[in-house]
Amino acid sequence: MQSSEIRKLFLDYFVSKGHELVKSSPLIPKDDPSLLFTNAGMVQFKRVFLGEEQRPYSRATTCQKCIRAGGKHSDLENVGFTARHHTFFEMLGNFSFGDYFKRDAILFAWELLTEHFKLPKEKLWVSIYKDDDEAAEIWEKEIGIHSERIVRLGEKDNFWQMGDTGPCGPCSEIIIDQGEDFGCGQPDCSVGCDCDRFLELWNLVFMQYNRDEEGKLTPLPKPSIDTGMGLERITAVKQGKRTNFDTDLFEPIISEICSTLNVKYGKDRKTDISIKVIADHIRAATFLVAEGLIPSNEGRGYVLRRIIRRAGRHIKLLGYDKTAFYRFVEPVVYKLGEVYPEIVSERERIEKIIKIEEERFLRSLEKAQQIFDDIINNLKKTDSKLIPGHEIFKLYDTFGLPFDLIKEMAQDSELQIDEIGFQQELNKQRERARAAQKSEEVGIGEVYKQLRLQAENLRFIGYTDYETETDIYAIVKNSERVNELNKNEEGEVFLFKTPFYAESGGQIGDTGMIISNSGKAEVYDTKKISGLHCHKVRVIEGTIKEGDKVFAKIDLERRKAIKRNHTATHLLHAALRTVLGEHVKQAGSLVATDRLRFDFTHFEAVNDEELREIERIVNEKILENLPVKIEIKSLDEALNEGVTALFEDKYEDTVRVVKIVGFSKELCGGTHCDNTGEIGSFYIVSEGSVASGIRRIEAVTGIEAFKYSNTNREQLKAISSILKSAEPVKAVERLVAELKEKQQEIEVLKNKLVSQNIEEIVKQAKEIDGVKALAVKLDGVDLKSLRTLSDKLKEKLHPAIILLISKADGQGILLLSVTKDITNKYDAGKLMRNIVQAVGGKGGGRQETAQGGCPDGESLEKVSEIFYSLIEKQS
């Protein structure tokens, strides 16, 4: 049975039992800072289980994409060494939200496994929580499993909880005995052993309690069910394979790896480990990049970087020194593209981003090797064989080298590593990360949760209405519900009907006024809190009270400016894809009154010609006065029409489609013009990089575009006046050419002057322990001329250490050189670091050459003295 058949059989079975088939949610969870990635099927239903969200169904089934490669739940270091661990996997699950409970969950699971998957009943075992007599009775009396094959385990193994507090309950695992061939051979091998004989297939979680802060368990009014079964595991069992990597899910990937890297799978354990790591990691990288994630040095991006670089390290271990990891995206798309079409449409971009990161890793590896060589040389001077922990951490953290690669490099050089010191540095970093994450995990206050539960009738009407008569539903001040706000007080107002757009999707919130018979409040911002429109207000007259009838009105001119900029971002997005390619994907935006900012994925700077073409296309579409149509459709219908969607966004089953007729179709909840002509005009103000693989364009529209154009015209007019030329560009080019010519003449004169004095400079050298030490201070000599002089002095002096000091534009410039014959004793980089540290500057370099700088010219007076003192100490 193929994996695709297994996936379909599972989902079809539960649909036949009245379950709603729900699509996999994104790997990057929205509005849940407690998770790096979606790591289980229940994640998208978390708020349903907590009672904070209602769905139109009480039973669901999913095949959920999952990542376990960071945070509390990480299998990254185990991948390749075991038969079952993965960074990316698919979790099959069925869920009940206060509908059926233990009995049905157990009956469903047993029927599916034994009658549909046809697993032998005599090989199936179950584990239950030690005190769960109810589950034990169902398994033994209704299912017919002998009591000897029902294993009671403790809280660690068979009691599940969402967090330290909240919904929790016992669980029951269904386990298959794969036989002695899969076992460890120990006489006490049984359920719970870490070997592969007794393999957990399916975990049934019975959410029946709520745990409070004191640890007390209280029965939930509506007990629920959450189950999870790894597709990779059940596929391996059904196909009779020893490991998940031997199934059809991995076969095309491993085949391509072996072909590209010229290696064989199944012949050598060490080679197999590397092949498995690469095969696993390419699936994780493919899906994460498809969702818009970019490799970086922090958060989720850092995990992606580790995954790619860990795979790159194993490619190198297999004797391949070029980029190759990106080539394995194709078999992943071939195997899983039909189920997850986002990796099909994003394939080109995925390959490009992975290849760029591979290339960076190979360059980092070269730099890291240089640093590693420096470490070895320094250790030789101290006769130590132990690499300090902070040096290991630097290679790991700064250059992205996996720890096991550093360890191997050390072993090759017959050195040991300070693992304890490294772990201490790593723990410090983790503590910093935990502290940062904790600061992000400020939950929604209880007052807002209560408001949300009672707020079924609150409505946003601002797409069509800009003012309305309504009632105040609630007022909050300092996170507490209050009855009123008085003059000069600030607070948050919630209305039954509101025309105010709440900040979302990059569009800033509306401002305006709320007026009652007894008072007037200025709305200075509108935000979404727990799904509610929260009006941030300042009372400017009288008093406003809960229950007041009010007149709510937005600042319409401000909204119109925002609409122009928002519709322009859609035109810009489509133009970018037209000019740069389909790989362009929105990575963030800001839609304000005076400007728009649009971040997008691209791998190099957008050149002037491309920017002009993008700007031309947008203005062309503005002049065409294209209609902007809003349609409400099902998500599936919209996606089938080719509507642009952002994978990091969470969409409801019904979505809002914004169409610029004949040019652009996007899912968007923002406010827009009725036609493109309302935008007026569009100017790109700037383009630049904001992160690796992410570019940013800032632009203006409407009256701001007029102001921008007018300012540029006035500046050009002023330049023409100063230059007294009707052709200012040509005049500036002529001046620049003349300036460059004069600078070259100055350089020649400087070099001549320095060369004429070289014999006098050589005489200033001091001999210290057989080495000529020379520190020379010059005025107004730039770094390039210092290098020329340094080379000439080294020709005259052997062996020598030469420090050239110059003051230019108020800054101190230092250049230190060591002739090659004494680099085994004197290190230019280390000497420079000691010098600049003593005078509050910065600098460094390699053994032969180093450079540095001082914040002010006065500190230069001490440099020569420090230099000679360091040489004497080291001699």
Side-chain angles (χ1 to χ4, degrees):
M1 184 178 275
Q2 294 291 293
S3 57
S4 58
E5 296 174 291
I6 294 170
R7 187 192 295 109
K8 185 176 186 301
L9 177 57
F10 182 95
L11 297 174
D12 286 349
Y13 171 81
F14 280 104
V15 168
S16 75
K17 299 296 183 181
H19 292 64
E20 180 78 12
L21 178 57
V22 181
K23 280 190 173 182
S24 172
S25 65
L27 287 168
I28 301 173
K30 188 174 176 64
D31 300 328
D32 191 350
S34 66
L35 288 176
L36 272 177
F37 302 109
T38 298
N39 55 27
M42 60 76 58
V43 169
Q44 70 166 307
F45 303 116
K46 189 172 178 180
R47 289 177 63 181
V48 181
F49 285 126
L50 289 170
E52 297 175 359
E53 180 184 335
Q54 290 186 338
R55 299 280 179 100
Y57 45 82
S58 59
R59 301 180 176 196
T61 184
T62 65
C63 181
Q64 174 64 51
K65 300 177 292 183
C66 295
I67 290 278
R68 290 187 181 172
K72 298 176 185 176
H73 306 286
S74 178
D75 289 330
L76 185 62
E77 303 300 335
N78 294 320
V79 171
F81 296 92
T82 71
R84 316 288 171 204
H85 284 102
H86 300 290
T87 52
F88 170 89
F89 64 97
E90 297 175 80
M91 183 175 282
L92 301 164
N94 60 289
F95 309 89
S96 164
F97 313 117
D99 189 338
Y100 62 83
F101 197 47
K102 282 184 193 177
R103 181 178 179 277
D104 284 334
I106 290 172
L107 291 173
F108 287 152
W110 190 255
E111 179 183 321
L112 180 58
L113 289 179
T114 60
E115 296 183 23
H116 296 269
F117 285 134
K118 301 191 182 303
L119 298 185
K121 295 179 182 180
E122 66 275 9
K123 290 187 177 182
L124 295 178
W125 292 59
V126 294
S127 67
I128 60 171
Y129 180 55
K130 59 184 178 67
D131 297 331
D132 193 354
D133 295 330
E134 182 185 358
E137 186 173 340
I138 295 169
W139 281 117
E140 186 174 358
K141 294 186 177 178
E142 295 199 49
I143 300 300
I145 292 184
H146 196 280
S147 60
E148 291 179 356
R149 287 194 285 126
I150 301 172
V151 182
R152 292 178 183 256
L153 297 175
E155 191 163 322
K156 179 185 175 184
D157 296 299
N158 278 69
F159 195 93
W160 180 92
Q161 56 192 57
M162 194 176 291
D164 294 333
T165 61
C168 59
C171 57
S172 180
E173 295 177 346
I174 304 175
I175 297 151
I176 188 166
D177 180 357
Q178 299 196 98
E180 293 181 2
D181 289 347
F182 286 78
C184 57
Q186 299 297 319
D188 60 347
C189 181
S190 61
V191 172
C193 183
D194 287 335
C195 72
D196 287 329
R197 176 174 177 175
F198 294 95
L199 178 70
E200 176 205 332
L201 277 182
W202 203 345
N203 189 16
L204 315 178
V205 177
F206 311 130
M207 270 191 272
Q208 62 187 100
Y209 300 112
N210 183 68
R211 190 192 294 273
D212 63 22
E213 292 178 355
E214 296 177 357
K216 182 181 177 183
L217 297 178
T218 306
L220 290 170
K222 290 185 176 182
S224 297
I225 291 294
D226 160 28
T227 85
M229 175 166 62
L231 174 65
E232 290 77 7
R233 288 195 180 195
I234 184 64
T235 300
V237 168
K238 282 297 296 173
Q239 294 179 0
K241 304 296 185 181
R242 293 194 68 87
T243 80
N244 294 356
F245 293 95
D246 299 322
T247 66
D248 73 293
L249 283 164
F250 287 92
E251 188 279 326
I253 306 171
I254 290 177
S255 176
E256 185 65 28
I257 291 169
C258 292
S259 174
T260 302
L261 306 184
N262 195 26
V263 292
K264 291 185 178 180
Y265 179 64
K267 301 293 183 183
D268 175 76
R269 182 178 180 275
K270 196 172 181 182
T271 299
D272 285 356
I273 288 172
S274 291
I275 291 172
K276 289 175 183 177
V277 168
I278 298 164
D280 170 90
H281 287 12
I282 192 60
R283 300 204 316 163
T286 296
F287 278 89
L288 288 174
V289 175
E291 291 195 11
L293 194 62
I294 299 290
S296 68
N297 287 328
E298 57 187 16
R300 296 179 176 114
Y302 182 66
V303 175
L304 175 57
R305 172 159 284 170
R306 279 194 69 198
I307 289 170
I308 295 173
R309 293 191 171 195
R310 191 167 186 264
R313 180 248 171 175
H314 280 276
I315 288 171
K316 193 168 179 63
L317 284 178
L318 293 176
Y320 199 86
D321 292 324
K322 295 178 285 186
T323 56
F325 192 49
Y326 75 98
R327 296 185 183 183
F328 310 135
V329 172
E330 192 277 331
V332 177
V333 173
Y334 164 76
K335 193 66 197 173
L336 296 174
E338 188 175 342
V339 185
Y340 305 106
E342 63 268 26
I343 64 173
V344 178
S345 59
E346 296 290 323
R347 176 184 162 180
E348 181 185 352
R349 190 178 65 84
I350 296 165
E351 290 175 337
K352 284 184 178 179
I353 288 176
I354 290 176
K355 187 178 182 184
I356 288 170
E357 182 60 25
E358 276 192 274
E359 290 168 345
R360 285 188 176 137
F361 174 59
L362 291 176
R363 289 196 295 270
S364 292
L365 206 55
E366 289 179 15
K367 292 178 184 176
Q369 187 64 55
Q370 293 171 5
I371 300 294
F372 192 76
D373 291 342
D374 290 343
I375 292 169
I376 293 174
N377 289 329
N378 289 332
L379 288 176
K380 285 178 181 176
K381 295 174 185 177
T382 61
D383 293 325
S384 174
K385 292 283 187 180
L386 184 69
I387 303 177
H390 70 274
E391 296 282 14
I392 302 165
F393 184 74
K394 180 181 178 183
L395 291 168
Y396 170 84
D397 191 53
T398 304
F399 295 98
L401 294 192
F403 176 74
D404 43 2
L405 175 57
I406 302 168
K407 197 171 183 178
E408 189 172 293
M409 290 165 69
Q411 289 170 348
D412 291 343
S413 302
E414 298 182 348
L415 296 172
Q416 297 175 327
I417 58 176
D418 177 13
E419 289 197 40
I420 294 174
F422 168 74
Q423 283 299 330
Q424 288 173 342
E425 294 292 331
L426 189 60
N427 288 336
K428 286 178 189 175
Q429 186 199 57
R430 285 173 176 164
E431 285 300 321
R432 290 192 294 270
R434 272 195 286 268
Q437 187 181 49
K438 191 173 181 182
S439 69
E440 292 177 1
E441 291 178 14
V442 179
I444 297 168
E446 192 61 35
V447 63
Y448 303 110
K449 292 180 183 178
Q450 292 302 318
L451 288 176
R452 192 178 191 283
L453 290 174
Q454 303 164 26
E456 294 180 3
N457 297 321
L458 303 194
R459 289 188 298 133
F460 169 64
I461 59 171
Y463 289 132
T464 55
D465 297 341
Y466 305 132
E467 57 186 49
T468 189
E469 291 184 352
T470 184
D471 298 295
I472 294 179
Y473 164 60
I475 301 175
V476 173
K477 182 181 179 183
N478 298 327
S479 298
E480 291 186 4
R481 193 164 179 175
V482 296
N483 289 323
E484 63 183 34
L485 290 174
N486 297 307
K487 185 176 181 179
N488 297 326
E489 283 189 312
E490 293 189 7
E492 298 163 347
V493 170
F494 298 84
L495 303 173
F496 278 99
K497 285 192 304 181
T498 180
F500 289 82
Y501 182 87
E503 181 179 336
S504 180
Q507 179 175 326
I508 62 174
D510 279 332
T511 62
M513 301 294 293
I514 294 175
I515 304 168
S516 72
N517 289 332
S518 59
K520 184 187 293 186
E522 173 195 7
V523 180
Y524 60 85
D525 198 2
T526 311
K527 303 277 189 184
K528 267 190 184 176
I529 298 182
S530 192
L532 302 174
H533 281 61
C534 170
H535 307 81
K536 304 275 187 179
V537 304
R538 185 183 299 108
V539 179
I540 56 177
E541 288 182 19
T543 301
I544 60 169
K545 300 176 183 178
E546 184 176 310
D548 274 357
K549 290 191 176 298
V550 296
F551 177 69
K553 180 181 181 180
I554 69 168
D555 182 336
L556 185 55
E557 291 306 311
R558 183 176 180 275
R559 165 76 82 83
K560 286 178 179 179
I562 294 169
K563 290 199 306 185
R564 285 192 287 268
N565 283 328
H566 203 154
T567 303
T569 64
H570 286 226
L571 291 176
L572 174 59
H573 193 183
L576 284 165
R577 291 170 70 88
T578 300
V579 175
L580 303 180
E582 292 297 312
H583 65 275
V584 168
K585 176 181 173 67
Q586 183 176 339
S589 68
L590 171 69
V591 180
T593 53
D594 59 341
R595 72 193 190 284
L596 65 91
R597 187 179 74 212
F598 192 80
D599 297 345
F600 58 98
T601 54
H602 192 52
F603 317 103
E604 58 190 353
V606 185
N607 63 45
D608 289 342
E609 185 179 344
E610 290 168 332
L611 285 173
R612 282 194 297 271
E613 179 62 10
I614 290 162
E615 195 174 67
R616 184 196 68 77
I617 291 172
V618 174
N619 280 296
E620 181 181 85
K621 298 305 172 185
I622 291 171
L623 288 172
E624 289 177 11
N625 199 26
L626 300 175
V628 179
K629 293 187 175 181
I630 310 298
E631 297 177 352
I632 306 299
K633 298 191 172 189
S634 72
L635 179 58
D636 287 342
E637 186 182 359
L639 294 177
N640 288 336
E641 288 183 4
V643 171
T644 301
L646 303 181
F647 286 110
E648 63 269 23
D649 281 359
K650 179 182 176 183
Y651 297 109
E652 303 297 333
D653 292 335
T654 301
V655 293
R656 190 168 180 265
V657 179
V658 177
K659 287 185 178 181
I660 299 175
V661 176
F663 189 64
S664 166
K665 290 186 290 187
E666 293 191 35
L667 298 185
C668 181
T671 62
H672 289 274
C673 302
D674 293 328
N675 53 68
T676 59
E678 293 176 24
I679 299 170
S681 58
F682 172 90
Y683 280 100
I684 293 175
V685 175
S686 65
E687 188 278 339
S689 172
V690 290
S692 175
I694 303 289
R695 309 296 300 180
R696 171 174 291 173
I697 280 179
E698 296 207 16
V700 289
T701 66
I703 194 67
E704 294 299 328
F706 169 76
K707 290 178 183 177
Y708 176 75
S709 174
N710 198 42
T711 299
N712 285 347
R713 185 171 61 248
E714 292 300 320
Q715 287 179 345
L716 187 60
K717 188 177 177 181
I719 292 169
S720 296
S721 177
I722 292 167
L723 296 173
K724 295 182 172 57
S725 171
E727 296 181 316
V729 175
K730 288 183 179 180
V732 170
E733 286 175 345
R734 186 169 58 253
L735 282 174
V736 169
E738 289 174 5
L739 181 61
K740 188 175 181 181
E741 186 180 330
K742 298 299 180 187
Q743 285 175 333
Q744 289 172 345
E745 289 176 9
I746 292 168
E747 286 294 319
V748 171
L749 291 171
K750 276 184 182 178
N751 288 333
K752 280 184 180 179
L753 186 62
V754 168
S755 298
Q756 286 171 358
N757 295 328
I758 198 164
E759 295 302 329
E760 292 298 318
I761 294 172
V762 168
K763 291 177 184 177
Q764 298 176 34
K766 297 180 182 181
E767 188 159 323
I768 301 174
D769 194 24
V771 173
K772 301 241 178 11
L774 174 63
V776 182
K777 186 173 180 296
L778 306 160
D779 284 329
V781 181
D782 60 22
L783 187 59
K784 184 179 177 182
S785 298
L786 290 180
R787 287 200 181 102
T788 302
L789 177 58
S790 178
D791 291 340
K792 290 181 178 180
L793 288 171
K794 283 195 287 185
E795 291 174 5
K796 299 276 186 181
L797 298 169
H798 279 284
I801 307 171
I802 301 161
L803 176 65
L804 301 181
I805 310 159
S806 177
K807 181 180 177 182
D809 298 325
Q811 299 289 313
I813 303 172
L814 308 177
L815 182 71
L816 197 152
S817 301
V818 176
T819 53
K820 191 174 286 188
D821 48 353
I822 55 170
T823 52
N824 61 334
K825 185 176 181 181
Y826 298 98
D827 186 313
K830 189 174 180 181
L831 283 168
M832 178 60 74
R833 285 191 288 272
N834 288 333
I835 291 169
V836 294
Q837 187 176 3
V839 294
K842 291 182 180 181
R846 301 192 65 190
Q847 285 181 302
E848 287 188 53
T849 308
Q851 67 185 62
C854 301
D856 57 77
E858 293 179 11
S859 57
L860 290 179
E861 303 302 325
K862 307 174 187 175
V863 169
S864 296
E865 184 183 334
I866 295 165
F867 168 74
Y868 287 121
S869 173
L870 288 170
I871 304 302
E872 287 173 356
K873 282 181 183 178
Q874 201 166 328
S875 62

